[in-house]
Amino acid sequence: MNENDRKRIDLSYEKIAGEVDMNILWAKLLENRIFNFDDCNIAAWKENLNNYDTKKQIINCIKTRGPYAFKNFVTSLEQCGYDDLAKNLSQLNIDSIIQSQKRMSSEDNATSSTNSSDDEDFKENDSSISFIYENEPLKIVVKKSKSFLDVPITGKKDLEKYIMRSKPRGLVLIVCITKYLFLDSRESANHDRVNLRKLFEEMGFDVTVTPEYLERNELREIIQEFAKKKEFLKVDSCFVIFSCHGKEAGKRWDAEIQTSECTINELPSNEKIYCSEIIEHFSSKNCPFLKGKPKVFIFQMCRGNRHQASVPRFSTDGTPNVPPVYENEEQDSLNVEDTLHRNYEDTLIVHSTVPGHYSYRDTITGAWFIQILCKVFMREAYHKHLKDLIDRVDQEVKLLRTEGKMCQTVTTASMGFNKYCYLNPGYFNDAQ
């Protein structure tokens, strides 16, 4: 098989796996001599032939099946009625995509010269919010505030507001794991890392970004050190953002974080890292410098192995075909009794998807949720408080990332996060 046809399969296999019924297609792959009945992998594949992960393995394996395999694969798709998939696969313009990826790489390393204070760049009803399948990553240009919005309005009964005036506004930790030993790599999530970093830096935060490859012990050490930073005494907020593979944890509000060395096999309970463990490090008891200050946790990761539907050109940030693990409630670090003692307050937790389901990631431009979050924050954080921003993100995920039967739902959990939180992006007193 020539190199361009291999690249066409590389760019399309996740999309095809999401749409085809392998129970139907498999017969044609055998009939057209792409595979033989005695191939060593067939016994394992047939145990769950229509599993999404299995389908990806089968399609990827076609790249190794000789000079006529690509043509025969296209023919097999056509014979099964997948004419659009066959056409898109055979006509994919590799040269154009390579040039696009080169542009993306150069843009990631360049500093935007766009004037971010120009209102015309941020018309909320313009075409800039209408992207379903962009082939280039988002460019971050933050609209800055012109005043602090945490000033009480005289005579108006309203929720209190968090003070958000420090310089830097807060500390941000971005954990974006893209390289895995045994699970699918998440190369397109590199755009999420770049966009999130630029977004929060332009808004006035101090940002720390972890390496692309991160094992469990390294992650735990990073979290512990970050939570102990004395700088929290001088700043007004904390954001912790995860972008990685994830799994269902048994508790509907929780999820298991998968680091670079994870496999599809189950780990012993004491080795697993849960979202709740991360949050625990920033409780009032464990991180007193953040007491009374907003603490925001954002998790772009799967929370289970169920698709909400099927859609072209997507991937997931989870491990397919893995049964959920239900932990003993006594092992959970956060429980209802604890929260009543106000050890957990001023905390907002945002997940990219609902419990038990996949979180989708565009294989070229990055995670759906992170793309839209960055776009909403850079466009509207100058005049909206945090909860309204998250609601807006969910609204746009629904409007812009729904095609046919496909959907994804952002979920939030609040632990005593009962004040308005205006980020006041890029605005500081001259005295600061």
Side-chain angles (χ1 to χ4, degrees):
M1 184 180 297
N2 67 50
E3 187 62 26
N4 279 349
D5 287 342
R6 286 194 183 94
K7 290 178 180 177
R8 289 185 175 94
I9 292 177
D10 284 337
L11 292 168
S12 305
Y13 78 101
E14 290 174 320
K15 169 184 175 180
I16 295 171
E19 291 200 9
V20 299
D21 185 336
M22 190 55 72
N23 291 315
I24 297 173
L25 180 61
W26 180 247
K28 292 299 179 183
L29 297 181
L30 291 173
E31 180 182 317
N32 291 317
R33 306 299 297 274
I34 297 174
F35 297 103
N36 299 315
F37 287 96
D38 58 351
D39 283 342
C40 61
N41 291 323
I42 290 180
W45 289 341
K46 280 193 170 182
E47 290 181 2
N48 200 349
L49 195 59
N50 219 33
N51 171 262
Y52 176 64
D53 198 39
T54 301
K55 290 190 287 184
K56 288 197 300 181
Q57 292 177 22
I58 293 172
I59 297 169
N60 255 323
C61 191
I62 293 174
K63 294 184 296 183
T64 69
R65 306 305 294 183
Y68 303 107
F70 182 82
K71 178 182 177 181
N72 291 341
F73 181 38
V74 173
T75 299
S76 300
L77 289 170
E78 292 172 340
Q79 291 172 338
C80 293
Y82 298 115
D83 293 341
D84 289 342
L85 290 176
K87 182 178 179 180
N88 291 338
L89 177 63
S90 61
Q91 296 182 0
L92 199 59
N93 190 327
I94 297 299
D95 291 337
S96 174
I97 291 174
I98 291 174
Q99 291 301 317
S100 174
Q101 289 174 338
K102 287 180 179 178
R103 289 197 303 272
M104 288 191 290
S105 178
S106 62
E107 287 166 0
D108 285 344
N109 296 321
T111 302
S112 173
S113 59
T114 307
N115 185 345
S116 60
S117 62
D118 292 340
D119 289 348
E120 58 267 23
D121 289 338
F122 294 90
K123 297 177 181 177
E124 293 188 15
N125 60 349
D126 70 11
S127 60
S128 65
I129 68 170
S130 299
F131 61 106
I132 297 297
Y133 289 131
E134 290 186 340
N135 288 318
E136 295 188 11
L138 178 67
K139 293 182 181 179
I140 301 297
V141 185
V142 174
K143 184 170 178 62
K144 307 294 179 62
S145 293
K146 297 182 179 179
S147 63
F148 289 122
L149 297 179
D150 52 18
V151 179
I153 301 176
T154 304
K156 184 177 180 180
K157 293 183 178 179
D158 205 345
L159 288 179
E160 295 182 52
K161 300 174 183 179
Y162 290 108
I163 299 299
M164 292 285 283
R165 301 191 178 196
S166 62
K167 187 175 183 179
R169 188 76 75 230
L171 302 187
V172 178
L173 176 65
I174 299 173
V175 179
C176 185
I177 305 174
T178 61
K179 297 187 182 299
Y180 286 82
L181 291 177
F182 306 105
L183 307 179
D184 290 343
S185 64
R186 308 176 60 253
E187 295 301 324
S188 62
N190 284 316
H191 297 303
D192 300 338
R193 174 193 288 106
V194 171
N195 287 338
L196 286 167
R197 180 171 198 159
K198 187 170 178 60
L199 172 72
F200 278 92
E201 285 180 345
E202 285 200 15
M203 290 197 298
F205 290 79
D206 181 59
V207 180
T208 300
V209 181
T210 66
E212 300 174 44
Y213 182 93
L214 204 61
E215 297 188 356
R216 283 188 296 277
N217 291 339
E218 295 172 320
L219 174 58
R220 283 193 164 104
E221 184 177 343
I222 287 172
I223 294 297
Q224 291 167 4
E225 291 180 356
F226 185 76
K228 293 178 181 178
K229 280 182 173 289
K230 294 181 178 179
E231 289 88 340
F232 281 127
L233 183 63
K234 300 179 180 180
V235 300
D236 290 336
S237 64
C238 169
F239 281 75
V240 177
I241 306 172
F242 273 77
S243 175
C244 59
H245 283 305
K247 290 172 61 178
E248 193 167 12
K251 283 289 189 179
R252 286 186 61 80
W253 47 263
D254 209 351
E256 180 188 337
I257 295 165
Q258 292 186 291
T259 48
S260 294
E261 82 281 29
C262 284
T263 70
I264 62 173
N265 298 320
E266 289 298 329
L267 292 169
S269 297
N270 62 346
E271 293 185 17
K272 297 178 182 179
I273 300 179
Y274 296 106
C275 296
S276 56
E277 176 184 335
I278 304 302
I279 297 167
E280 179 77 14
H281 285 288
F282 298 87
S283 67
S284 297
K285 176 182 178 181
N286 293 326
C287 189
F289 291 158
L290 281 174
K291 187 174 181 179
K293 301 176 182 179
K295 298 167 279 290
V296 183
F297 300 88
I298 298 173
F299 297 101
Q300 160 57 42
M301 53 190 285
C302 288
R303 304 174 71 185
N305 57 2
R306 296 197 296 274
H307 286 288
Q308 293 195 33
S310 181
V311 70
R313 206 182 90 181
F314 71 89
S315 183
T316 67
D317 285 335
T319 305
N321 197 30
V322 177
V325 178
Y326 295 93
E327 300 296 331
N328 189 310
E329 289 190 9
E330 293 178 358
Q331 295 174 335
D332 294 345
S333 56
L334 300 183
N335 57 53
V336 175
E337 184 178 355
D338 288 334
T339 61
L340 295 177
H341 291 91
R342 308 302 288 186
N343 189 30
Y344 308 101
E345 61 179 345
D346 307 304
T347 300
L348 185 66
I349 305 163
V350 184
H351 282 275
S352 58
T353 190
V354 295
H357 288 77
Y358 284 121
S359 184
Y360 299 107
R361 172 173 43 84
D362 189 295
T363 55
I364 294 178
T365 57
W368 293 3
F369 168 68
I370 296 297
Q371 290 178 71
I372 293 176
L373 182 145
C374 289
K375 183 157 256 188
V376 168
F377 275 46
M378 76 180 193
R379 190 183 65 218
E380 301 181 30
Y382 79 99
H383 72 114
K384 289 184 177 179
H385 62 81
L386 186 57
K387 284 187 176 179
D388 274 0
L389 293 173
I390 299 301
D391 288 342
R392 179 69 166 175
V393 170
D394 181 53
Q395 182 183 59
E396 294 200 9
V397 167
K398 175 183 178 180
L399 293 175
L400 306 180
R401 290 304 195 190
T402 299
E403 181 173 315
K405 297 180 180 179
M406 171 55 62
C407 62
Q408 181 170 318
T409 304
V410 178
T411 59
T412 61
S414 172
M415 294 193 294
F417 199 92
N418 51 26
K419 302 177 184 178
Y420 289 136
C421 182
Y422 290 96
L423 302 181
N424 302 315
Y427 184 78
F428 301 96
N429 284 337
D430 293 338
Q432 293 178 299

